[in-house]
Structures are given as C-alpha cells and as structure tokens.
Amino acid sequence: MANLNIDSVKDRTFDAIVIGSGMSGGWAAKEFTDKGLKTLILERGRDVKHIKDYPTTNMYPWEFEHRGQLPMAIQEANPIVNRCYAFGESAAHFFVKDAEHPYIQDKPFDWIRGYQVGGKSLLWARQTQRWSDFDFEGPARDGFAVDWPIRYKDIAPWYSYVEKFAGISGNRDGIAELPDGEFLPAFPLNTVEEYFSKHVKSNYKNRYVISARCAHLSTPNQIHLDQGRVQCQRRTICERGCPFGGYFSANASTIPWALKSGHATLRPFSVVESIIYDDKLGKATGVRVIDTNTKEAIEYHAKVIFVNAAALNTNLILLNSKSHRFPNGLGNDSGVLGKYVAFHNYSAHIGAQYDGAKEWTTDGRNPAGGGYIPRFRNVYKQETDFLRGYASGFSAYRYPERSWDGVGSSLKNNLANKELGPWHVGSHMMGETIPKETNFVSLDDKQKDAWGVPLLKMNVDYDDNDEKMKKDYIEQLTEMFTSAGFTNIQASTDQRAPGLDIHEMGGARMGNDPKTSILNKWNQVHSVKNVFVTDGASMTSTSCQNPSLTYMAFTARAADYAMSEMKKGNL
Amino acid sequence: MDRRTVIKNLALIIGGAALLPACSQDKAKSKVALKNIDISADQEQLIGEVSETIIPKTTTPGAKDLLLHLFVLKMVDDCYKKEDQQAFVAGGSHFADAVQKQYGKTFDQLDAKTRELFLLDIEKEIQAEMLEAAKRDSATVPRFVGKYSAETRKFYSMVKRQTINGYTNSKYFMTNIVVYELVPGRYNARFPYKLKQAV
C-alpha cells in the first residue's frame, strides 16, 4: 500500500463518499452537499465538464470526417459496444471501448458502459416514467423475486422531489399503472400518433397511447435556470452532450450543483477496488481506490458510503469487498449478492404505413421521440401464460421519398425531391424480465483488469417467459395496427444478447428479509448500516418502465434517511 | 433480402478473389492519403468520372466540384471491410476492361450520354441480381451470373452509394437543397402540408 502517510489521513477523510458520478451518484452528491456535508465523489473515468468537454456538440453533419459512420477498424475492434445504436462518430468518445475494460461472458452479454464524470447520463434516451404499485406489489402478487420492502406511497414524494429539479415533460394522463408526476408541458403527439391514441382509447379497455414523458426542459422553471440550464432546443442530438442543458444529465445538473456548494471534491481516474470494513467497529470505514494514471492505491474514509457505480459495477465492488466478517462480499450474509440480475427485453419491433392524414406533417423535431404505450398485460389480473408485461414505444413520421435509382440529372432531381411520402409508423417492445437466481454475475478467481480488480463474469440469459411475452407483443401490436387501418405491417425480432437494452438491474436487491436480500427499505445494507446502494443494483424487480427516474428518487430518499441517521448518531 | 444483405453476400463470394493487377501504365498515386487501399492516379480519375456521371454538374455543382470522388476513396479506405476493399480495387480494373471491350475506348473518352447508358446497364444487372437474391433464402449465396463481373457490380455499387452519401451530406446540399438546422428550437406536431407544394 503506497503513501499511507498519517498526516494526510485527515485530508482523505470526508463526511460522505459517493462511488460513481452518473445518474444516481450525482444525486447523492447533490443531496449531501446541499446539507453541507463534506463529500468525495469518486469516478473511475475521466472528467467531462458540461459544454467544455462536448467536442462534437456543435458540429454539422458534413463536418464529420465519415458523415457519422465509424471507421471499420474501430467497429471491428469493438464488436460489443458497436451494437449500441448511439455508438457512432458523434458520440463514440463517451463509450467504453471493448479492449480497455474486459469482462467475461460465460453467457453472451452486451455490457454498454460510459466511464466518465456523468457516466451514461450523457447517453441515455431520456425516457422517464414513474413505477406504480402494480410494479412494487408485483413480486408479492405474482410470486417471482421477493416482496419489495416499499410501496408507491413511500417513493411518490421523492419522485416529485427529483422531477422538479431534473425537469420532466409530460401530460397528466390519469392512468393508474403510470402515475402522474410534476410535469413541465408535454411534447405533443403528432397527427397520426394522436389518431392512433384516440383509436386505441375507443377500441380497447385499459390501453393508452400517451405522449412520451422525458427529461427535457420543454419550458424551464426558475430552479432549472438556477442550474445554468435553458430550454430544450429540439436538436435531438443529445448523445453528444447538450450545451443548453436541455435534457437532464449529471454533467449539466447535479454534479456542477454539488461542486458549486464548495463541499464537494470530485476525483476522476479513481477505480474503487473495495469498500473497507472494520471488524471491530462493525461498519465500513472507507474505500480503497486505485488511481488509474499512477496505479497508486489510496484509502479514503467517511462516515457514510453510497455505492452508485452502475448496477453491475456496484455488484463487482461489493463482491470484491471481502473481510473476515464478510468473506463472500460486503453485506452478503444471505449469499444472494450478484444474483437475481434482470434487465429489459427490447428485441421485437413492428413497422407499418398509414395512408391517411396526408394533409399533415410535422415541423422541427420531437425530443420525446413520440408516443408511449404503458403496460396493458396482466395489470389488474393475471390474464396470460407469461408473468408481467411490456410497455411499447410508438411513433409516426413522414419523410421525402427520394429514389436512388438512375444516374445524372434525373438522379439529382430525385435526391432533391421535397415531396413527402405516406406516414410510417413504428413501435418497439420494452419487456420486463423476471429476476432469477440463475441469472447472476460473479468474480473470476484468476483474471484481473489493469488495476488488479477481478474481472466480472456474466451469466444472464432470456427465458421462456421472455419468448412468450415477445410473441404476445407482436400479436397484440399487429392487431392494434390492423384495426387502426395501418397497412404493410411488418414485425421483426432480433437475436440480441441481454444487456443491449442498457437497463441491467439487481444483484444487491432490496427486501424485508436479510436472508433473501442485501438491502433494507432504505437502500441500506442490512448488515452494514453505513453503506447504501441506490443505483440499478438495488432493484428487486425491473418493471417495464425505464428505470433512471426511480434510481434518482431512491437516491434522494436514501440520502435524506442517511443524513437523519447520522444526526441521530446511528451511523 | 435488403440491399445491405446482398452486398454482404457479394462480399462473401468475392472475398477469396485474387487481386487483379491494375491495368494502368501511370503508376502515380492517388491524391488522397490512403491507409488500406492502393489507388493509382488513373483509378482515381476513373472514380472521379464515374462519380461525375452519377452526380453531374448542371446548373448546380456536380461530384467533382464537391470533391465527392475523394470522399468515395476516403470512405472505402476507412469504413469498409478488407474483402470489400479488395473487391473495389479489382472491380475498378474490371470496370475499365468492360468499357474497353464494349466501346474500344476508355471511360473518359466516352460522351456523357454513353457513360450514363453504361452505368445504367450495370445498374440494371445489380437490380436483377437483387431481385433474384430476394427470392432465395437469405442464408444462401446468390448465384447470379451477368454480363459484368461481380467485382464490377461491387465497384459500381460502392462508388454510387458513397457518391450519393457524400452528396446528400455535403455542406452544399444541406444548406441549399435541404436546409439542415442544427438548432430548430421548435416542434410543431401538427403542421399543414399541401401535396405538390414542395416541388
């Protein structure tokens, strides 16, 4: 252990340590520093400063050397991340390259990562829906996973709290399975999306097509201006980083907010090797960090530690935090750490054409991406032969039909054609997968990464439930499309590996019973009270709604609880 | 089967083909710095003429004005698999030979109309090939045999695809023909549209 200089221990001691600076870590940092706690934010990747470090953000399409496409050498060197839709010439610098951070695929798993300040919050698709009691009560009712230790009423005020600060656009739709929130004005549905919405509402019970709810400032409030963010400019090139702060990212919002307080220390290039547990004190005393530039090992200390490294890396850190008391990983008395990993199933799509509404089009761009169909299967009762259900995206669009046939001036005329073709409609499935003990991650006992941390091994797969659900999605959407008068309907599935949805969850799940879960209802490790996990690793089940908003709400709630416990002297 | 799959399958069968020597006497190198493919000044000129035939100068700029042939070379050099690059280089020679055989002249000695007819003839064959491939199971390799070699068709497909890609993504096109806005600032979900208004 290098440089464990006694004089500097004081400099390396904080009130709180937050591991990770992305979607949830940014919130922990903000909450602690708002209350004046001296907080260390650890990030394994490089620093990315809002605006300053968005090198492509103001580039025109013709300014990209390959017009957006990545050179073949980069694609071939990165077969995993190359499968991600956003890995292109304009945003490749925010993605982890395959060779730099290896892992072991005992079963195929496309692990898409962003190692930098802000993490994947620079790259997300910004869809934000609350989860409801149909999700939190699901496991207890349907008999999968374990019962959630909380209900919607526990988290609802915290959804409101984070929504107001992050800025969420949407309509108050009054749908029980998709609770309303503190919304900025929604981005409206276009003519054909609206048509389909009305059609579905009048022809189906409990099925809705609503305007997608998203983390964009359609109309900013004062709190957003105070963060230095302004109105979303409808550029829809968000994955480059937004100079307007038009969408929520840790880089534009929580991290600079925490730094402005004067109470935060941000330390990039810091891989957390493990959490240090003191057998005598019976609690964690700090974390062991490897500086990625110098390979130096450094220990930092704090009263409370928040683990927000992103679901699977959080599992890795906990599994690698071994002590006399916890030989199988921190807080792992139950042996379930790393198990019950689940994800979302995005592997089915459907497209069609609509020959009506030709007198309408759209102008500008919609950052919400169109419509959202909340889960309608097995909501009020179990009605199919598979557990849980799926939400769906839905959008309609028109574009000029430009034939590439021929050569010469006729081709030039075709390419310049501004006349629009018919409306096209499309949908993709967003299915819930069931957490199972057989879906797990573990540490390899031999192979280590460049910083001496064991490699993570993936054993996560689809099952029969996913196949049945996929089939049902295609049947139901085909029927809804047909009855709406859409034509040329084409459904397709792809053979993607788990992970590509970028919604991996679980492994350190919450639960009432320490024998079957790692965290209690406050996201607090059952047996190590001063360690909290509030990212995707803590999810007991996965819902079919996007998870980021829920991570934010859990984090703010857990930070508030941790601070009140600190005040009482309980941590 | 879509165009991409056809091209991929073509690449599979062409992959093993030997690289044919370029039939150029002028060994001067291409003007663009290339890392992976070896292109002579003659071949570069041929690509320039083919690109210019695809997107000619009219009252508006053509391929040469917009340096699209150099863009084609850059894309082939950087963004294609090795086997596609090899087929492209061989295909350039096959293409030149086919012109010579059919007209007894080089491509740049042909008048503009004849150049177009020659390209359209190859294009007709590519479409026939795609039609045939679409009828088959996608796992099987197309067995299409035509007047032009598979390499010639591949060469032409790549030049055409990247000429159009370069053209429709050029600053000229995106500021004059379609106007690309980096910052639209607005989203009108219900915007009136009159048929034919745009023409």
Side-chain angles (χ1 to χ4, degrees):
Chain A
M1 198 66 51
N3 289 338
L4 275 189
N5 183 336
I6 295 296
D7 294 340
S8 70
V9 168
K10 195 165 162 275
D11 298 335
R12 289 182 279 107
T13 302
F14 296 82
D15 296 322
I17 293 174
V18 179
I19 304 170
S21 64
M23 194 66 78
S24 65
W27 270 98
K30 173 194 168 295
E31 296 306 301
F32 288 138
T33 53
D34 269 352
K35 295 280 160 60
L37 266 61
K38 193 180 159 200
T39 305
L40 175 67
I41 310 162
L42 295 170
E43 167 54 51
R44 65 177 296 156
R46 67 190 169 99
D47 196 7
V48 171
K49 287 259 185 287
H50 181 50
I51 306 180
K52 183 177 150 286
D53 293 318
Y54 304 156
T56 59
T57 192
N58 287 323
M59 284 171 68
Y60 282 93
W62 58 86
E63 291 176 322
F64 289 96
E65 197 179 354
H66 305 98
R67 307 296 185 265
Q69 205 176 326
L70 281 170
M72 189 53 68
I74 296 176
Q75 293 190 49
E76 287 178 340
N78 293 280
I80 298 166
V81 63
N82 193 41
R83 291 186 200 112
C84 177
Y85 67 98
F87 186 68
E89 206 173 22
S90 71
H93 49 284
F94 291 142
F95 285 92
V96 164
K97 310 303 177 292
D98 291 3
E100 292 167 12
H101 301 279
Y103 60 96
I104 298 166
Q105 301 184 57
D106 283 345
K107 287 178 185 163
F109 189 94
D110 291 336
W111 196 12
I112 309 299
R113 296 160 292 169
Y115 290 168
Q116 63 244 331
V117 169
K120 288 178 292 188
S121 77
L122 286 167
L123 297 166
W124 64 319
R126 309 165 312 282
Q127 299 288 302
T128 42
Q129 306 93 19
R130 291 187 178 202
W131 295 15
S132 77
D133 266 336
F134 294 103
D135 301 303
F136 293 115
E137 289 173 357
R141 191 191 82 179
D142 304 348
F144 66 96
V146 294
D147 190 14
W148 276 87
I150 65 153
R151 290 296 180 260
Y152 178 67
K153 64 176 168 41
D154 299 307
I155 193 74
W158 294 99
Y159 273 132
S160 294
Y161 180 79
V162 297
E163 282 166 347
K164 283 180 199 160
F165 189 83
I168 307 295
S169 295
N171 286 313
R172 300 184 67 84
D173 298 293
I175 301 168
E177 54 272 38
L178 201 76
D180 290 331
E182 311 288 335
F183 294 144
L184 305 173
F187 294 94
L189 295 177
N190 68 34
T191 313
V192 170
E193 290 159 356
E194 186 69 44
Y195 158 74
F196 188 55
S197 174
K198 283 183 180 151
H199 172 83
V200 167
K201 192 166 188 180
S202 52
N203 288 276
Y204 293 89
K205 200 179 159 215
N206 296 328
R207 293 194 191 188
Y208 311 91
V209 181
I210 63 166
S211 177
R213 298 169 182 177
C214 63
H216 283 258
L217 302 178
S218 55
T219 311
N221 289 332
Q222 188 59 44
I223 185 64
H224 307 121
L225 302 176
D226 292 347
Q227 295 168 44
R229 301 168 59 199
V230 296
Q231 181 168 304
C232 166
Q233 296 297 306
R234 284 77 165 157
R235 302 190 331 149
T236 66
I237 45 177
C238 313
E239 69 282 0
R240 301 182 192 179
C242 180
F244 301 96
Y247 72 92
F248 174 86
S249 68
N251 307 70
S253 176
T254 47
I255 292 290
W257 185 272
L259 293 174
K260 208 169 58 179
S261 73
H263 303 299
T265 302
L266 175 64
R267 195 184 198 288
F269 302 113
S270 304
V271 166
V272 172
E273 189 251 0
S274 61
I275 294 164
I276 305 160
Y277 181 81
D278 188 309
D279 283 330
K280 282 193 211 88
L281 293 173
K283 61 181 182 180
T285 55
V287 299
R288 193 170 291 119
V289 160
I290 313 294
D291 185 301
T292 59
N293 292 317
T294 64
K295 306 259 169 112
E296 183 188 15
I298 310 164
E299 290 183 357
Y300 291 98
H301 307 284
K303 294 185 195 79
V304 65
I305 296 159
F306 265 55
V307 195
N308 301 87
L312 298 184
N313 273 324
T314 287
N315 275 283
L316 192 161
I317 292 169
L318 295 174
L319 285 165
N320 201 41
S321 300
K322 292 173 181 170
S323 59
H324 182 68
R325 166 72 181 82
F326 295 109
N328 301 314
L330 192 80
N332 192 16
D333 290 330
S334 59
V336 300
L337 183 63
K339 295 174 181 174
Y340 301 97
V341 168
F343 54 102
H344 282 156
N345 178 5
Y346 278 24
S347 64
H349 329 262
I350 183 165
Q353 196 177 307
Y354 182 57
D355 291 321
K358 290 219 166 111
E359 66 276 31
W360 298 104
T361 184
T362 60
D363 176 46
R365 301 183 206 126
N366 182 1
Y372 179 85
I373 308 174
R375 172 181 155 210
F376 53 79
R377 278 307 208 191
N378 306 324
V379 178
Y380 290 92
K381 62 175 181 4
Q382 182 67 35
E383 62 203 3
T384 69
D385 63 347
F386 57 87
L387 288 174
R388 312 302 293 164
Y390 48 83
S392 321
F394 176 77
S395 60
Y397 42 93
R398 283 182 93 173
Y399 48 81
E401 293 199 331
R402 299 188 172 125
S403 168
W404 281 32
D405 290 343
V407 297
S409 51
S410 67
L411 173 64
K412 271 180 103 173
N413 284 336
N414 283 337
L415 295 175
N417 178 32
K418 291 190 175 74
E419 202 172 335
L420 301 180
W423 286 92
H424 296 270
V425 296
S427 167
H428 63 282
M429 165 195 195
M430 300 182 278
E432 174 166 357
T433 74
I434 304 304
K436 296 184 296 280
E437 193 173 8
T438 49
N439 275 352
F440 66 95
V441 295
S442 56
L443 301 184
D444 192 78
D445 50 13
K446 291 183 196 74
Q447 300 181 72
K448 294 185 173 183
D449 68 14
W451 305 280
V453 179
L455 297 191
L456 199 62
K457 291 194 290 189
M458 312 296 193
N459 271 286
V460 178
D461 212 346
Y462 292 99
D463 65 12
D464 192 39
N465 201 64
D466 302 316
E467 284 307 311
K468 286 177 184 167
M469 193 186 288
K470 189 151 83 173
K471 190 164 163 276
D472 189 69
Y473 164 82
I474 288 172
E475 283 169 9
Q476 295 305 311
L477 268 289
T478 300
E479 188 207 294
M480 288 156 75
F481 275 20
T482 305
S483 76
F486 298 159
T487 57
N488 192 21
I489 299 170
Q490 293 187 329
S492 61
T493 59
D494 60 59
Q495 297 304 312
R496 63 177 67 193
L500 201 55
D501 51 89
I502 327 183
H503 288 178
E504 57 270 14
M505 287 176 248
R509 66 182 178 183
M510 297 167 78
N512 290 312
D513 184 355
K515 288 195 191 72
T516 56
S517 61
I518 301 294
L519 310 171
N520 68 13
K521 65 177 176 178
W522 300 107
N523 295 74
Q524 184 178 30
V525 177
H526 283 300
S527 49
V528 190
K529 297 291 184 204
N530 65 335
V531 176
F532 292 75
V533 175
T534 67
D535 61 13
S538 66
M539 299 292 127
T540 308
S541 64
T542 68
S543 172
C544 61
Q545 281 91 287
N546 295 57
S548 303
L549 186 70
T550 300
Y551 304 163
M552 297 191 223
F554 270 127
T555 307
R557 177 176 175 269
D560 181 70
Y561 174 77
M563 286 186 282
S564 74
E565 287 292 285
M566 283 164 94
K567 235 181 242 168
K568 290 178 201 157
N570 292 342
L571 294 185
Chain B
M1 187 188 284
D2 64 14
R3 189 185 177 89
R4 198 181 291 265
T5 318
V6 173
I7 290 170
K8 214 160 76 184
N9 285 343
L10 279 174
L12 282 176
I13 48 169
I14 295 162
L19 214 96
L20 296 170
C23 62
S24 160
Q25 275 123 35
D26 181 0
K27 291 298 173 199
K29 287 292 176 77
S30 156
K31 280 202 284 288
V32 282
L34 301 173
K35 292 185 291 258
N36 300 307
I37 53 171
D38 199 13
I39 294 287
S40 70
D42 267 9
Q43 287 169 311
E44 182 192 311
Q45 202 204 333
L46 173 66
I47 292 159
E49 296 303 325
V50 174
S51 284
E52 183 68 19
T53 309
I54 295 166
I55 302 289
K57 185 183 184 73
T58 53
T59 54
T60 63
K64 280 187 186 166
D65 297 325
L66 300 171
L67 300 177
L68 297 182
H69 57 303
L70 301 185
F71 175 74
V72 170
L73 283 173
K74 173 141 209 72
M75 291 301 285
V76 172
D77 193 47
D78 285 349
C79 295
Y80 283 81
K81 289 181 192 295
K82 199 177 167 71
E83 58 260 36
D84 293 336
Q85 292 169 338
Q86 288 173 348
F88 178 85
V89 174
S93 303
H94 287 209
F95 180 98
D97 292 347
V99 174
Q100 194 63 239
K101 195 173 146 201
Q102 204 159 319
Y103 302 104
K105 290 178 179 176
T106 59
F107 190 71
D108 62 349
Q109 287 167 341
L110 303 177
D111 62 50
K113 191 73 212 157
T114 312
R115 290 182 197 192
E116 284 195 8
L117 287 172
F118 183 72
L119 297 189
L120 289 171
D121 202 35
I122 301 177
E123 203 157 298
K124 211 166 83 187
E125 208 162 85
I126 292 171
Q127 275 162 1
E129 176 188 20
M130 279 169 57
L131 214 66
E132 192 190 290
K135 286 182 204 149
R136 295 166 196 270
D137 173 48
S138 61
T140 63
V141 176
R143 283 183 298 265
F144 185 84
V145 180
K147 184 162 61 161
Y148 302 102
S149 71
E151 290 89 339
T152 307
R153 297 195 296 268
K154 178 91 189 170
F155 167 78
Y156 175 67
S157 292
M158 285 168 73
V159 174
K160 184 170 183 189
R161 170 175 286 271
Q162 292 306 337
T163 298
I164 294 176
N165 181 19
Y167 180 63
T168 55
N169 284 297
S170 65
K171 184 177 180 184
Y172 166 76
F173 189 87
M174 291 192 122
T175 51
N176 294 280
I177 309 294
V178 297
V179 179
Y180 176 83
E181 296 172 292
L182 192 62
V183 181
R186 67 186 183 285
Y187 177 59
N188 299 320
R190 198 174 171 84
F191 195 71
Y193 177 74
K194 281 197 190 74
L195 285 174
K196 306 284 181 196
Q197 71 167 4
V199 182

